[in-house]
Amino acid sequence: MSASSLERGLASLAADESGVLRFSGKVIGPEVVQLRADGEKALARCQERRCEIDLAGVENANSMLLSLLLCWQRFAAEKGVDLRFSGANERLVALATMSRVSGHLPGLASL
């Protein structure tokens, strides 16, 4: 997969040369619907039946972000793609754990 970037306002999703999707920036309300669509397009292009979204560059943690990740996870499962998340910050992991959704987001186990 060639390096490409899907940028929306403050957040971006970029596929690197190894196929890892790198998600960075701040997720805010107005852009979340387009980010969802962009992420689903990127997941549909995964060469393998496995995909990783690196969250190390994500600057915030909120319910919109959790909802977005859950939507991507559901989309991947429907397409038969094994999606894993990596690099989540402590705030996001704590929010996912407190919201009782970390078990639905592979890679977001408690620190």
XYZ file of all heavy atoms in Angstrom:
824
model
N 0.857 -1.168 0.000
C 0.000 0.000 0.000
C 0.900 1.226 0.000
O 1.815 1.331 0.783
C -0.872 -0.041 1.259
C -1.972 0.968 1.273
S -2.969 0.909 2.788
C -3.829 -0.630 2.605
N 0.654 2.152 -0.893
C 1.488 3.341 -0.948
C 1.096 4.285 0.179
O -0.016 4.240 0.688
C 1.321 4.042 -2.294
O -0.010 4.477 -2.434
N 2.026 5.149 0.529
C 1.738 6.099 1.592
C 0.685 7.081 1.087
O 0.823 7.675 0.040
C 3.009 6.837 2.004
N -0.387 7.191 1.811
C -1.432 8.157 1.458
C -2.010 8.694 2.744
O -1.925 8.080 3.792
C -2.518 7.503 0.608
O -3.174 6.519 1.353
N -2.616 9.848 2.658
C -3.176 10.461 3.856
C -4.596 10.916 3.594
O -4.882 11.491 2.561
C -2.315 11.652 4.278
O -2.836 12.260 5.421
N -5.460 10.594 4.516
C -6.839 11.061 4.468
C -6.957 12.072 5.600
O -6.990 11.692 6.760
C -7.798 9.891 4.681
C -7.643 8.721 3.720
C -8.408 7.515 4.248
C -8.124 9.099 2.349
N -6.961 13.350 5.284
C -6.960 14.371 6.319
C -8.315 15.045 6.427
O -8.919 15.388 5.428
C -5.889 15.416 6.033
C -4.489 14.832 6.092
C -3.421 15.888 5.968
O -3.682 17.047 6.326
O -2.335 15.543 5.523
N -8.759 15.230 7.627
C -10.035 15.893 7.896
C -9.836 16.813 9.088
O -9.757 16.345 10.220
C -11.130 14.873 8.222
C -11.409 13.932 7.107
C -12.221 14.639 6.034
N -12.446 13.726 4.949
C -12.141 14.000 3.691
N -11.590 15.130 3.353
N -12.395 13.131 2.745
N -9.730 18.097 8.845
C -9.621 19.042 9.945
C -8.412 18.779 10.816
O -7.293 18.877 10.367
N -8.651 18.391 12.047
C -7.569 18.227 13.004
C -7.022 16.810 13.081
O -6.002 16.591 13.697
C -8.045 18.640 14.397
C -8.494 20.097 14.540
C -9.099 20.330 15.907
C -7.330 21.037 14.302
N -7.704 15.847 12.496
C -7.268 14.447 12.582
C -6.889 13.940 11.194
O -7.391 14.419 10.189
C -8.362 13.577 13.180
N -5.992 12.956 11.160
C -5.633 12.353 9.883
C -5.416 10.855 10.050
O -5.056 10.381 11.123
C -4.388 13.014 9.296
O -3.243 12.711 10.065
N -5.642 10.149 8.968
C -5.440 8.709 8.914
C -4.556 8.467 7.701
O -4.936 8.795 6.585
C -6.780 7.988 8.761
C -6.754 6.468 8.730
C -6.314 5.909 10.088
C -8.126 5.935 8.371
N -3.364 7.931 7.926
C -2.405 7.737 6.841
C -1.916 6.300 6.836
O -1.571 5.749 7.877
C -1.219 8.684 7.011
N -1.900 5.701 5.652
C -1.372 4.342 5.499
C 0.109 4.444 5.167
O 0.489 5.135 4.219
C -2.121 3.614 4.381
N 0.949 3.770 5.952
C 2.376 3.788 5.633
C 2.707 2.657 4.663
O 1.843 1.870 4.278
C 3.234 3.760 6.897
C 3.171 2.461 7.679
O 2.699 1.441 7.133
O 3.591 2.459 8.847
N 3.972 2.566 4.263
C 4.382 1.579 3.265
C 4.235 0.135 3.737
O 4.108 -0.773 2.933
C 5.814 1.830 2.782
C 6.883 1.798 3.855
C 6.963 3.063 4.699
O 6.447 4.118 4.300
O 7.534 2.980 5.802
N 4.163 -0.077 5.038
C 3.992 -1.439 5.554
C 2.509 -1.811 5.689
O 2.186 -2.942 6.050
C 4.695 -1.600 6.906
O 4.026 -0.845 7.889
N 1.610 -0.855 5.423
C 0.182 -1.135 5.504
C -0.463 -0.754 6.825
O -1.671 -0.888 6.973
N 0.327 -0.296 7.783
C -0.236 0.135 9.064
C -0.931 1.478 8.850
O -0.393 2.379 8.204
C 0.861 0.268 10.147
C 0.303 0.881 11.425
C 1.489 -1.079 10.429
N -2.145 1.594 9.369
C -2.872 2.855 9.309
C -2.514 3.660 10.551
O -2.715 3.206 11.671
C -4.382 2.605 9.256
C -4.876 1.817 8.051
C -6.355 1.463 8.216
C -4.642 2.592 6.770
N -1.963 4.834 10.354
C -1.551 5.685 11.467
C -2.568 6.803 11.631
O -2.767 7.599 10.729
C -0.160 6.232 11.229
C 0.841 5.102 11.047
C 2.256 5.472 11.345
N 3.135 4.335 11.099
C 3.383 3.371 11.960
N 2.820 3.402 13.146
N 4.190 2.384 11.657
N -3.202 6.807 12.793
C -4.264 7.758 13.101
C -3.697 8.782 14.054
O -3.127 8.422 15.092
C -5.442 6.994 13.717
C -6.696 7.782 13.866
C -7.104 8.700 12.917
C -7.510 7.576 14.963
C -8.286 9.406 13.051
C -8.702 8.265 15.113
C -9.087 9.189 14.160
N -3.842 10.064 13.730
C -3.256 11.086 14.593
C -4.120 12.339 14.622
O -5.009 12.521 13.794
C -1.842 11.435 14.111
O -1.892 11.943 12.791
N -3.836 13.185 15.600
C -4.533 14.449 15.754
C -5.644 14.373 16.774
O -5.708 13.463 17.588
N -6.532 15.374 16.720
C -7.668 15.461 17.638
C -8.947 15.136 16.882
O -9.200 15.679 15.813
C -7.787 16.866 18.221
C -6.730 17.189 19.234
C -7.007 18.531 19.872
C -5.942 18.821 20.918
N -6.167 20.102 21.576
N -9.755 14.271 17.462
C -11.049 13.926 16.885
C -12.089 14.852 17.512
O -12.259 14.875 18.726
C -11.406 12.447 17.147
C -12.790 12.130 16.626
C -10.369 11.542 16.513
N -12.752 15.627 16.635
C -13.793 16.537 17.099
C -15.081 16.262 16.329
O -15.061 15.629 15.274
C -13.371 18.015 16.960
C -13.025 18.339 15.503
C -12.198 18.323 17.877
C -12.789 19.802 15.241
N -16.185 16.736 16.847
C -17.506 16.440 16.312
C -17.712 16.592 14.820
O -18.154 15.653 14.163
N -17.444 17.750 14.257
C -17.787 17.962 12.856
C -17.121 17.005 11.872
O -17.636 16.782 10.789
C -17.326 19.395 12.585
C -17.277 20.047 13.919
C -16.923 18.954 14.892
N -16.006 16.438 12.234
C -15.271 15.608 11.282
C -15.464 14.107 11.460
O -15.046 13.328 10.622
C -13.786 15.927 11.362
C -13.154 15.511 12.669
C -11.686 15.855 12.758
O -11.124 16.378 11.809
O -11.130 15.582 13.816
N -16.108 13.672 12.508
C -16.134 12.252 12.838
C -16.864 11.406 11.787
O -16.438 10.282 11.499
C -16.672 12.016 14.268
C -18.170 12.154 14.335
C -16.229 10.674 14.799
N -17.898 11.920 11.174
C -18.628 11.144 10.167
C -17.739 10.897 8.942
O -17.682 9.778 8.425
C -19.945 11.854 9.771
C -20.613 11.156 8.597
C -20.892 11.904 10.964
N -17.022 11.936 8.503
C -16.136 11.762 7.353
C -14.949 10.869 7.709
O -14.511 10.058 6.896
C -15.647 13.105 6.819
C -14.883 12.974 5.520
C -15.723 12.370 4.398
O -16.832 12.832 4.148
N -15.224 11.340 3.755
N -14.430 10.993 8.929
C -13.345 10.101 9.364
C -13.801 8.647 9.346
O -13.036 7.760 8.965
C -12.860 10.476 10.772
C -11.887 11.633 10.857
C -11.728 12.073 12.309
C -10.552 11.267 10.253
N -15.031 8.411 9.762
C -15.563 7.044 9.731
C -15.546 6.505 8.307
O -15.073 5.395 8.055
C -16.972 7.006 10.295
C -17.584 5.620 10.227
C -18.999 5.590 10.745
N -19.578 4.264 10.528
C -20.799 3.934 10.871
N -21.589 4.813 11.467
N -21.249 2.733 10.623
N -16.050 7.279 7.365
C -16.081 6.845 5.963
C -14.667 6.640 5.421
O -14.396 5.648 4.727
C -16.835 7.869 5.120
N -13.763 7.554 5.740
C -12.376 7.430 5.276
C -11.719 6.172 5.841
O -11.004 5.453 5.136
C -11.555 8.653 5.686
C -11.971 9.916 4.949
O -12.659 9.819 3.910
O -11.598 11.006 5.421
N -11.975 5.904 7.119
C -11.415 4.703 7.751
C -11.967 3.433 7.132
O -11.229 2.464 6.910
N -13.253 3.428 6.829
C -13.861 2.250 6.209
C -13.281 2.009 4.822
O -13.016 0.870 4.432
C -15.382 2.403 6.176
C -15.998 2.265 7.558
C -17.486 2.554 7.607
O -18.072 2.972 6.573
O -18.073 2.353 8.692
N -13.035 3.079 4.066
C -12.392 2.936 2.749
C -10.995 2.358 2.898
O -10.586 1.483 2.139
C -12.330 4.281 2.032
C -13.658 4.765 1.527
C -13.532 6.136 0.900
C -14.895 6.730 0.624
N -14.819 8.135 0.227
N -10.247 2.859 3.876
C -8.887 2.356 4.108
C -8.912 0.889 4.531
O -8.086 0.093 4.067
C -8.179 3.212 5.162
N -9.847 0.519 5.390
C -9.966 -0.879 5.831
C -10.349 -1.793 4.670
O -9.875 -2.921 4.583
C -10.981 -1.002 6.966
C -10.544 -0.436 8.309
C -11.719 -0.361 9.271
C -9.406 -1.263 8.895
N -11.192 -1.305 3.783
C -11.601 -2.107 2.626
C -10.423 -2.365 1.686
O -10.416 -3.357 0.953
C -12.728 -1.401 1.874
N -9.420 -1.495 1.738
C -8.232 -1.665 0.883
C -7.128 -2.496 1.530
O -6.089 -2.703 0.919
C -7.661 -0.304 0.496
C -8.509 0.461 -0.489
C -7.764 1.671 -1.044
N -7.300 2.574 -0.009
C -7.946 3.669 0.391
N -9.095 3.985 -0.143
N -7.437 4.446 1.318
N -7.336 -2.956 2.758
C -6.301 -3.756 3.428
C -5.955 -4.953 2.547
O -6.838 -5.722 2.165
C -6.773 -4.235 4.803
S -6.712 -2.964 6.054
N -4.696 -5.095 2.230
C -4.223 -6.165 1.355
C -4.409 -7.538 1.988
O -4.738 -8.496 1.333
C -2.746 -5.957 1.009
C -2.466 -4.669 0.287
C -3.007 -4.668 -1.127
O -3.154 -5.707 -1.751
N -3.320 -3.493 -1.632
N -4.164 -7.612 3.250
C -4.278 -8.871 3.985
C -5.614 -8.866 4.711
O -6.283 -7.856 4.791
C -3.141 -8.959 5.010
C -1.791 -8.595 4.434
C -0.872 -9.778 4.366
O -1.090 -10.734 5.104
O 0.062 -9.729 3.569
N -5.982 -9.955 5.263
C -7.212 -10.014 6.055
C -6.950 -9.504 7.469
O -7.746 -9.685 8.364
C -7.769 -11.449 6.107
C -8.156 -12.048 4.795
C -8.965 -11.205 3.820
N -10.119 -10.483 4.313
C -10.642 -9.427 3.711
N -10.132 -8.970 2.598
N -11.679 -8.826 4.199
N -5.817 -8.855 7.653
C -5.416 -8.285 8.933
C -5.075 -6.827 8.745
O -4.506 -6.469 7.732
C -4.122 -8.964 9.369
C -4.208 -9.783 10.573
C -2.839 -10.239 10.898
N -2.798 -11.654 10.628
C -1.849 -12.428 11.004
N -0.803 -11.932 11.590
N -1.902 -13.696 10.771
N -5.393 -6.024 9.720
C -5.067 -4.605 9.621
C -4.782 -4.068 11.018
O -5.381 -4.514 11.994
C -6.219 -3.847 8.973
S -5.760 -2.217 8.392
N -3.881 -3.105 11.079
C -3.544 -2.457 12.349
C -3.756 -0.968 12.205
O -3.369 -0.366 11.204
C -2.085 -2.725 12.709
C -1.623 -2.021 13.963
C -0.140 -2.197 14.252
O 0.490 -3.080 13.639
O 0.376 -1.441 15.085
N -4.379 -0.377 13.220
C -4.497 1.076 13.300
C -3.686 1.529 14.503
O -3.979 1.157 15.633
C -5.959 1.546 13.417
C -6.742 1.147 12.158
C -6.011 3.062 13.629
C -8.203 1.545 12.175
N -2.642 2.294 14.230
C -1.762 2.815 15.267
C -2.352 4.128 15.788
O -2.528 5.086 15.031
C -0.375 3.044 14.685
C 0.633 3.536 15.699
O 0.254 3.823 16.859
O 1.816 3.649 15.335
N -2.652 4.163 17.067
C -3.292 5.321 17.696
C -2.311 6.202 18.455
O -2.725 7.105 19.180
C -4.392 4.840 18.657
C -5.476 3.947 18.054
C -6.353 3.359 19.157
C -6.309 4.723 17.050
N -1.005 5.972 18.287
C 0.001 6.702 19.067
C -0.077 8.211 18.859
O 0.258 8.977 19.759
C 1.399 6.188 18.735
N -0.526 8.648 17.711
C -0.588 10.073 17.437
C -1.888 10.750 17.826
O -2.052 11.951 17.639
N -2.820 9.997 18.406
C -4.105 10.573 18.802
C -3.895 11.440 20.040
O -3.302 11.013 21.024
C -5.154 9.471 19.065
C -6.436 10.070 19.638
C -5.443 8.714 17.781
N -4.390 12.668 19.974
C -4.133 13.642 21.033
C -5.233 13.759 22.076
O -5.054 14.445 23.078
C -3.893 15.017 20.408
C -2.693 15.043 19.488
C -2.568 16.357 18.745
O -3.172 17.353 19.180
O -1.865 16.368 17.733
N -6.379 13.137 21.838
C -7.464 13.265 22.806
C -8.139 11.926 23.033
O -7.819 10.942 22.364
C -8.473 14.328 22.368
C -9.173 13.990 21.066
O -8.694 13.215 20.255
N -10.323 14.586 20.859
N -9.042 11.910 23.974
C -9.821 10.706 24.281
C -11.217 11.173 24.652
O -11.383 11.936 25.601
C -9.185 9.932 25.426
N -12.196 10.736 23.873
C -13.573 11.115 24.168
C -14.515 10.053 23.625
O -14.081 9.117 22.941
C -13.898 12.510 23.623
C -13.673 12.628 22.135
O -13.985 11.721 21.360
N -13.111 13.748 21.707
N -15.793 10.201 23.931
C -16.763 9.194 23.507
C -16.914 9.140 21.987
O -17.190 8.078 21.432
C -18.114 9.437 24.172
O -18.606 10.712 23.837
N -16.713 10.255 21.309
C -16.767 10.239 19.833
C -15.672 9.353 19.265
O -15.902 8.601 18.319
C -16.625 11.651 19.268
C -17.868 12.477 19.358
S -17.651 14.103 18.613
C -16.423 14.809 19.692
N -14.481 9.459 19.834
C -13.358 8.642 19.369
C -13.647 7.167 19.629
O -13.435 6.320 18.743
C -12.061 9.074 20.047
C -10.822 8.248 19.734
C -10.554 8.179 18.230
C -9.617 8.816 20.470
N -14.140 6.838 20.815
C -14.480 5.440 21.110
C -15.526 4.922 20.135
O -15.417 3.803 19.622
C -15.006 5.294 22.542
C -13.987 5.218 23.655
C -14.707 5.000 24.988
C -12.962 4.130 23.423
N -16.535 5.723 19.867
C -17.579 5.327 18.927
C -16.997 5.095 17.537
O -17.346 4.120 16.856
C -18.666 6.402 18.880
O -19.644 6.049 17.933
N -16.108 5.966 17.111
C -15.451 5.816 15.809
C -14.676 4.504 15.730
O -14.795 3.750 14.758
C -14.520 7.003 15.560
C -13.705 6.977 14.277
C -14.613 7.002 13.051
C -12.734 8.158 14.263
N -13.915 4.197 16.770
C -13.134 2.953 16.787
C -14.048 1.732 16.766
O -13.764 0.740 16.077
C -12.215 2.913 18.008
C -11.174 4.034 18.114
C -10.321 3.850 19.367
C -10.309 4.141 16.874
N -15.152 1.800 17.501
C -16.116 0.695 17.502
C -16.764 0.524 16.128
O -16.971 -0.608 15.674
C -17.183 0.914 18.571
C -16.717 0.720 20.014
C -17.731 1.321 20.983
C -16.460 -0.746 20.311
N -17.047 1.622 15.452
C -17.601 1.535 14.087
C -16.602 0.876 13.147
O -16.978 0.018 12.332
C -17.969 2.924 13.573
S -19.439 3.626 14.337
N -15.340 1.275 13.235
C -14.313 0.665 12.380
C -14.158 -0.820 12.695
O -13.998 -1.633 11.801
C -12.981 1.378 12.545
C -12.910 2.714 11.876
C -13.763 3.224 10.923
C -11.933 3.716 12.103
N -13.354 4.467 10.559
C -12.237 4.807 11.258
C -10.829 3.804 12.940
C -11.464 5.972 11.218
C -10.059 4.963 12.902
C -10.376 6.027 12.046
N -14.232 -1.177 13.984
C -14.113 -2.581 14.376
C -15.273 -3.398 13.807
O -15.082 -4.490 13.273
C -14.056 -2.709 15.904
C -13.882 -4.118 16.405
C -12.577 -4.735 15.942
O -11.532 -4.110 15.977
N -12.618 -5.961 15.481
N -16.466 -2.852 13.912
C -17.646 -3.544 13.383
C -17.545 -3.694 11.859
O -17.821 -4.753 11.308
C -18.927 -2.806 13.761
C -20.195 -3.523 13.308
C -21.481 -2.838 13.736
N -21.537 -1.461 13.280
C -21.582 -0.384 14.076
N -21.603 -0.534 15.374
N -21.628 0.827 13.584
N -17.137 -2.647 11.164
C -16.977 -2.693 9.711
C -15.954 -3.758 9.327
O -16.180 -4.561 8.418
C -16.542 -1.322 9.179
C -16.302 -1.302 7.706
C -17.355 -1.095 6.822
C -15.024 -1.480 7.191
C -17.135 -1.072 5.455
C -14.803 -1.470 5.826
C -15.858 -1.270 4.942
N -14.820 -3.765 10.019
C -13.766 -4.749 9.726
C -14.286 -6.172 9.924
O -14.049 -7.051 9.083
C -12.542 -4.495 10.606
N -14.997 -6.394 11.017
C -15.544 -7.732 11.290
C -16.507 -8.160 10.188
O -16.470 -9.317 9.738
C -16.237 -7.754 12.651
N -17.342 -7.242 9.720
C -18.284 -7.554 8.644
C -17.567 -7.920 7.345
O -18.074 -8.708 6.554
C -19.218 -6.367 8.388
C -20.223 -6.145 9.492
C -21.000 -4.842 9.356
O -20.747 -4.061 8.404
O -21.863 -4.593 10.217
N -16.376 -7.346 7.132
C -15.590 -7.610 5.923
C -14.599 -8.761 6.101
O -13.838 -9.068 5.191
C -14.822 -6.349 5.499
C -15.709 -5.172 5.183
C -16.633 -5.469 4.025
C -17.540 -4.305 3.727
N -18.595 -4.615 2.795
N -14.589 -9.370 7.289
C -13.674 -10.478 7.553
C -12.239 -10.047 7.786
O -11.309 -10.823 7.620
N -12.050 -8.797 8.196
C -10.719 -8.257 8.468
C -10.462 -8.305 9.973
O -11.289 -7.863 10.763
C -10.586 -6.799 7.958
C -9.258 -6.186 8.372
C -10.766 -6.737 6.449
N -9.322 -8.859 10.352
C -8.900 -8.910 11.756
C -8.242 -7.573 12.084
O -7.104 -7.333 11.707
C -7.931 -10.071 11.961
C -7.420 -10.164 13.391
O -8.101 -9.677 14.309
O -6.318 -10.731 13.569
N -8.968 -6.681 12.750
C -8.471 -5.345 13.066
C -7.950 -5.298 14.486
O -8.600 -5.758 15.419
C -9.596 -4.317 12.887
C -9.270 -2.868 13.248
C -8.111 -2.337 12.399
C -10.511 -1.999 13.086
N -6.752 -4.716 14.626
C -6.149 -4.507 15.940
C -5.747 -3.053 16.055
O -5.362 -2.436 15.073
C -4.913 -5.383 16.133
C -5.245 -6.852 16.198
C -4.144 -7.697 16.793
N -3.802 -7.475 18.176
C -4.564 -7.748 19.230
N -5.760 -8.208 19.062
N -4.125 -7.562 20.443
N -5.819 -2.547 17.280
C -5.390 -1.187 17.563
C -4.101 -1.255 18.378
O -3.922 -2.155 19.198
C -6.469 -0.438 18.351
C -7.764 -0.307 17.601
C -8.806 -1.204 17.807
C -7.938 0.691 16.664
C -9.995 -1.104 17.107
C -9.130 0.801 15.949
C -10.153 -0.100 16.169
N -3.218 -0.313 18.142
C -1.970 -0.261 18.911
C -1.673 1.187 19.272
O -2.232 2.108 18.686
C -0.809 -0.845 18.096
O -0.572 -0.055 16.934
N -0.796 1.371 20.255
C -0.307 2.698 20.605
C -1.287 3.627 21.290
O -1.044 4.826 21.353
N -2.377 3.112 21.824
C -3.364 3.982 22.475
C -2.771 4.634 23.720
O -2.044 3.995 24.479
C -4.603 3.172 22.858
N -3.111 5.902 23.914
C -2.609 6.584 25.105
C -3.379 6.127 26.345
O -4.435 5.509 26.251
C -2.655 8.113 24.930
C -4.051 8.672 24.773
O -4.963 8.350 25.541
N -4.233 9.531 23.782
N -2.824 6.428 27.479
C -3.390 5.979 28.756
C -4.817 6.486 28.970
O -5.675 5.764 29.476
C -2.486 6.459 29.898
C -2.784 5.836 31.229
C -1.759 6.212 32.281
O -0.555 6.239 31.967
O -2.181 6.475 33.423
N -5.084 7.713 28.557
C -6.431 8.279 28.719
C -7.464 7.508 27.908
O -8.567 7.250 28.374
C -6.458 9.753 28.307
C -5.713 10.663 29.269
C -5.639 12.064 28.746
N -4.882 12.011 27.480
C -4.916 12.924 26.530
N -5.683 13.973 26.649
N -4.195 12.798 25.446
N -7.100 7.151 26.676
C -8.030 6.415 25.824
C -8.282 5.009 26.371
O -9.416 4.542 26.396
C -7.502 6.340 24.380
C -8.400 5.640 23.370
C -9.789 6.271 23.327
C -7.743 5.657 21.999
N -7.229 4.352 26.822
C -7.384 3.017 27.408
C -8.267 3.090 28.650
O -9.171 2.265 28.830
C -6.004 2.386 27.732
C -6.169 1.101 28.534
C -5.214 2.140 26.459
N -8.046 4.096 29.495
C -8.857 4.248 30.712
C -10.324 4.517 30.366
O -11.224 3.941 30.983
C -8.297 5.383 31.576
N -10.566 5.357 29.367
C -11.936 5.645 28.961
C -12.619 4.399 28.398
O -13.768 4.108 28.722
C -11.958 6.775 27.929
C -13.335 7.209 27.437
C -14.200 7.715 28.594
C -13.183 8.277 26.365
N -11.899 3.639 27.575
C -12.461 2.404 27.012
C -12.762 1.394 28.115
O -13.796 0.720 28.085
C -11.495 1.801 25.991
N -11.892 1.310 29.101
C -12.091 0.389 30.220
C -13.277 0.830 31.068
O -14.148 0.022 31.390
C -10.816 0.301 31.079
O -9.735 -0.153 30.242
C -10.986 -0.650 32.240
N -13.331 2.112 31.391
C -14.420 2.647 32.198
C -15.765 2.496 31.477
O -16.780 2.227 32.103
C -14.170 4.124 32.509
C -15.219 4.752 33.384
S -14.932 6.507 33.655
C -15.306 7.169 32.043
N -15.748 2.631 30.172
C -16.974 2.511 29.363
C -17.317 1.062 29.049
O -18.323 0.791 28.393
C -16.800 3.284 28.050
O -16.528 4.633 28.297
N -16.463 0.158 29.485
C -16.654 -1.281 29.291
C -16.710 -1.699 27.824
O -17.475 -2.577 27.441
C -17.887 -1.770 30.035
C -17.772 -1.542 31.523
C -19.012 -1.977 32.245
N -18.932 -1.509 33.610
C -18.946 -2.298 34.658
N -19.041 -3.586 34.522
N -18.881 -1.792 35.857
N -15.873 -1.040 27.005
C -15.810 -1.415 25.588
C -14.417 -1.892 25.177
O -14.223 -2.287 24.035
C -16.261 -0.262 24.658
C -17.711 0.102 24.903
C -15.357 0.944 24.781
N -13.469 -1.878 26.098
C -12.097 -2.269 25.731
C -12.041 -3.693 25.196
O -11.232 -4.001 24.317
C -11.131 -2.087 26.904
O -11.530 -2.869 28.006
N -12.917 -4.564 25.666
C -12.944 -5.940 25.191
C -13.405 -6.065 23.751
O -13.176 -7.092 23.109
N -14.017 -5.013 23.218
C -14.484 -5.010 21.834
C -13.484 -4.349 20.894
O -13.721 -4.277 19.690
C -15.824 -4.284 21.723
C -16.900 -4.923 22.532
N -17.512 -6.097 22.167
C -17.444 -4.554 23.723
C -18.405 -6.412 23.087
N -18.384 -5.509 24.044
N -12.384 -3.846 21.471
C -11.368 -3.136 20.693
C -10.018 -3.825 20.907
O -9.260 -3.427 21.795
C -11.325 -1.660 21.115
C -12.607 -0.870 20.884
C -12.563 0.466 21.612
C -12.855 -0.673 19.404
N -9.712 -4.854 20.130
C -8.450 -5.585 20.311
C -7.241 -4.646 20.328
O -7.092 -3.794 19.455
C -8.405 -6.521 19.106
C -9.839 -6.700 18.721
C -10.485 -5.376 19.012
N -6.436 -4.787 21.357
C -5.255 -3.964 21.518
C -5.431 -2.851 22.540
O -4.472 -2.200 22.925
N -6.661 -2.634 23.002
C -6.902 -1.586 23.996
C -7.097 -2.186 25.381
O -7.954 -1.778 26.136
C -8.140 -0.756 23.619
C -7.811 0.615 23.022
C -7.239 0.478 21.655
C -9.016 1.494 23.028
N -6.307 -3.161 25.714
C -6.362 -3.759 27.047
C -5.842 -2.764 28.062
O -5.112 -1.838 27.729
C -5.525 -5.039 27.086
N -6.225 -2.943 29.303
C -5.746 -2.059 30.372
C -4.238 -2.082 30.444
O -3.609 -3.107 30.253
C -6.325 -2.486 31.719
O -7.719 -2.350 31.710
N -3.678 -0.897 30.712
C -2.224 -0.777 30.836
C -1.744 -1.353 32.142
O -2.421 -1.399 33.100
C -1.806 0.694 30.748
C -2.121 1.385 29.420
C -1.779 2.875 29.525
C -1.354 0.771 28.285
